mmCIF file of all heavy atoms in Angstrom:
data_model
loop_
_atom_site.group_PDB
_atom_site.id
_atom_site.type_symbol
_atom_site.label_atom_id
_atom_site.label_comp_id
_atom_site.label_asym_id
_atom_site.label_seq_id
_atom_site.Cartn_x
_atom_site.Cartn_y
_atom_site.Cartn_z
ATOM 1 N N MET B 36 3.230 92.683 64.735
ATOM 2 C CA MET B 36 4.156 91.791 64.042
ATOM 3 C C MET B 36 4.585 92.432 62.739
ATOM 4 O O MET B 36 3.835 93.206 62.134
ATOM 5 C CB MET B 36 3.511 90.422 63.788
ATOM 6 C CG MET B 36 3.184 89.677 65.092
ATOM 7 S SD MET B 36 2.613 87.990 64.845
ATOM 8 C CE MET B 36 4.162 87.140 64.489
ATOM 9 N N TYR B 37 5.819 92.095 62.323
ATOM 10 C CA TYR B 37 6.445 92.783 61.202
ATOM 11 C C TYR B 37 7.172 91.795 60.287
ATOM 12 O O TYR B 37 7.710 90.786 60.750
ATOM 13 C CB TYR B 37 7.496 93.784 61.715
ATOM 14 C CG TYR B 37 7.016 94.721 62.784
ATOM 15 C CD1 TYR B 37 6.963 94.319 64.115
ATOM 16 C CD2 TYR B 37 6.627 96.021 62.465
ATOM 17 C CE1 TYR B 37 6.517 95.180 65.103
ATOM 18 C CE2 TYR B 37 6.188 96.889 63.454
ATOM 19 C CZ TYR B 37 6.139 96.465 64.769
ATOM 20 O OH TYR B 37 5.700 97.322 65.744
ATOM 21 N N TRP B 38 7.225 92.145 59.023
ATOM 22 C CA TRP B 38 8.143 91.494 58.085
ATOM 23 C C TRP B 38 9.168 92.526 57.624
ATOM 24 O O TRP B 38 8.807 93.636 57.216
ATOM 25 C CB TRP B 38 7.412 90.962 56.849
ATOM 26 C CG TRP B 38 6.699 89.661 57.046
ATOM 27 C CD1 TRP B 38 5.364 89.439 56.973
ATOM 28 C CD2 TRP B 38 7.292 88.383 57.322
ATOM 29 N NE1 TRP B 38 5.080 88.113 57.193
ATOM 30 C CE2 TRP B 38 6.240 87.444 57.409
ATOM 31 C CE3 TRP B 38 8.604 87.929 57.508
ATOM 32 C CZ2 TRP B 38 6.455 86.085 57.682
ATOM 33 C CZ3 TRP B 38 8.819 86.582 57.780
ATOM 34 C CH2 TRP B 38 7.744 85.676 57.856
ATOM 35 N N TYR B 39 10.447 92.127 57.718
ATOM 36 C CA TYR B 39 11.547 92.935 57.202
ATOM 37 C C TYR B 39 12.314 92.102 56.177
ATOM 38 O O TYR B 39 12.439 90.889 56.310
ATOM 39 C CB TYR B 39 12.524 93.324 58.325
ATOM 40 C CG TYR B 39 12.065 94.455 59.202
ATOM 41 C CD1 TYR B 39 11.299 94.206 60.348
ATOM 42 C CD2 TYR B 39 12.401 95.778 58.916
ATOM 43 C CE1 TYR B 39 10.880 95.253 61.167
ATOM 44 C CE2 TYR B 39 11.998 96.822 59.733
ATOM 45 C CZ TYR B 39 11.235 96.552 60.856
ATOM 46 O OH TYR B 39 10.833 97.584 61.662
ATOM 47 N N LYS B 40 12.864 92.793 55.190
ATOM 48 C CA LYS B 40 13.748 92.154 54.208
ATOM 49 C C LYS B 40 15.160 92.662 54.459
ATOM 50 O O LYS B 40 15.382 93.879 54.583
ATOM 51 C CB LYS B 40 13.303 92.524 52.786
ATOM 52 C CG LYS B 40 14.213 91.998 51.687
ATOM 53 C CD LYS B 40 13.746 92.480 50.322
ATOM 54 C CE LYS B 40 14.677 91.996 49.213
ATOM 55 N NZ LYS B 40 14.260 92.512 47.877
ATOM 56 N N GLN B 41 16.106 91.725 54.548
ATOM 57 C CA GLN B 41 17.486 92.114 54.761
ATOM 58 C C GLN B 41 18.345 91.652 53.592
ATOM 59 O O GLN B 41 18.453 90.462 53.313
ATOM 60 C CB GLN B 41 18.042 91.532 56.073
ATOM 61 C CG GLN B 41 19.433 92.049 56.411
ATOM 62 C CD GLN B 41 19.854 91.750 57.831
ATOM 63 O OE1 GLN B 41 19.716 90.636 58.318
ATOM 64 N NE2 GLN B 41 20.384 92.751 58.510
ATOM 65 N N SER B 42 18.936 92.616 52.903
ATOM 66 C CA SER B 42 19.816 92.311 51.779
ATOM 67 C C SER B 42 21.032 93.210 51.864
ATOM 68 O O SER B 42 21.075 94.139 52.668
ATOM 69 C CB SER B 42 19.081 92.527 50.447
ATOM 70 O OG SER B 42 18.703 93.887 50.319
ATOM 71 N N ALA B 43 21.996 92.963 51.016
ATOM 72 C CA ALA B 43 23.212 93.769 51.047
ATOM 73 C C ALA B 43 22.902 95.231 50.696
ATOM 74 O O ALA B 43 23.484 96.145 51.261
ATOM 75 C CB ALA B 43 24.244 93.198 50.085
ATOM 76 N N LYS B 44 21.958 95.438 49.776
ATOM 77 C CA LYS B 44 21.633 96.806 49.341
ATOM 78 C C LYS B 44 20.858 97.577 50.395
ATOM 79 O O LYS B 44 21.086 98.759 50.622
ATOM 80 C CB LYS B 44 20.822 96.756 48.046
ATOM 81 C CG LYS B 44 21.648 96.486 46.802
ATOM 82 C CD LYS B 44 20.799 96.667 45.557
ATOM 83 C CE LYS B 44 21.636 96.497 44.293
ATOM 84 N NZ LYS B 44 20.835 96.695 43.071
ATOM 85 N N LYS B 45 19.896 96.926 51.030
ATOM 86 C CA LYS B 45 19.039 97.596 52.033
ATOM 87 C C LYS B 45 18.976 96.713 53.260
ATOM 88 O O LYS B 45 18.142 95.817 53.343
ATOM 89 C CB LYS B 45 17.643 97.836 51.470
ATOM 90 C CG LYS B 45 17.621 98.845 50.341
ATOM 91 C CD LYS B 45 16.195 99.192 49.935
ATOM 92 C CE LYS B 45 16.179 100.239 48.843
ATOM 93 N NZ LYS B 45 14.798 100.630 48.458
ATOM 94 N N PRO B 46 19.842 96.968 54.200
ATOM 95 C CA PRO B 46 20.046 96.040 55.305
ATOM 96 C C PRO B 46 18.814 95.655 56.119
ATOM 97 O O PRO B 46 18.697 94.499 56.504
ATOM 98 C CB PRO B 46 21.090 96.754 56.153
ATOM 99 C CG PRO B 46 21.875 97.530 55.169
ATOM 100 C CD PRO B 46 20.870 98.007 54.165
ATOM 101 N N LEU B 47 17.923 96.570 56.447
ATOM 102 C CA LEU B 47 16.726 96.198 57.217
ATOM 103 C C LEU B 47 15.559 97.024 56.687
ATOM 104 O O LEU B 47 15.243 98.085 57.203
ATOM 105 C CB LEU B 47 16.931 96.445 58.719
ATOM 106 C CG LEU B 47 17.481 95.291 59.531
ATOM 107 C CD1 LEU B 47 17.745 95.711 60.975
ATOM 108 C CD2 LEU B 47 16.524 94.106 59.522
ATOM 109 N N GLU B 48 14.921 96.477 55.675
ATOM 110 C CA GLU B 48 13.860 97.209 54.983
ATOM 111 C C GLU B 48 12.493 96.722 55.448
ATOM 112 O O GLU B 48 12.157 95.545 55.287
ATOM 113 C CB GLU B 48 14.018 97.000 53.478
ATOM 114 C CG GLU B 48 13.031 97.774 52.631
ATOM 115 C CD GLU B 48 13.215 97.491 51.148
ATOM 116 O OE1 GLU B 48 14.002 96.576 50.802
ATOM 117 O OE2 GLU B 48 12.566 98.166 50.334
ATOM 118 N N LEU B 49 11.715 97.638 56.006
ATOM 119 C CA LEU B 49 10.378 97.285 56.486
ATOM 120 C C LEU B 49 9.477 96.944 55.306
ATOM 121 O O LEU B 49 9.438 97.677 54.316
ATOM 122 C CB LEU B 49 9.783 98.449 57.274
ATOM 123 C CG LEU B 49 8.381 98.257 57.825
ATOM 124 C CD1 LEU B 49 8.353 97.167 58.893
ATOM 125 C CD2 LEU B 49 7.848 99.570 58.400
ATOM 126 N N MET B 50 8.747 95.819 55.417
ATOM 127 C CA MET B 50 7.813 95.419 54.359
ATOM 128 C C MET B 50 6.367 95.638 54.813
ATOM 129 O O MET B 50 5.622 96.355 54.173
ATOM 130 C CB MET B 50 8.036 93.953 53.991
ATOM 131 C CG MET B 50 9.425 93.625 53.483
ATOM 132 S SD MET B 50 9.605 91.855 53.170
ATOM 133 C CE MET B 50 8.587 91.634 51.708
#
Side-chain angles (χ1 to χ4, degrees):
Chain B
M36 296 187 77
Y37 309 82
W38 281 116
Y39 282 89
K40 176 183 178 182
Q41 187 166 47
S42 62
K44 282 189 176 181
K45 293 188 178 182
L47 269 175
E48 184 182 8
L49 179 66
M50 300 177 71

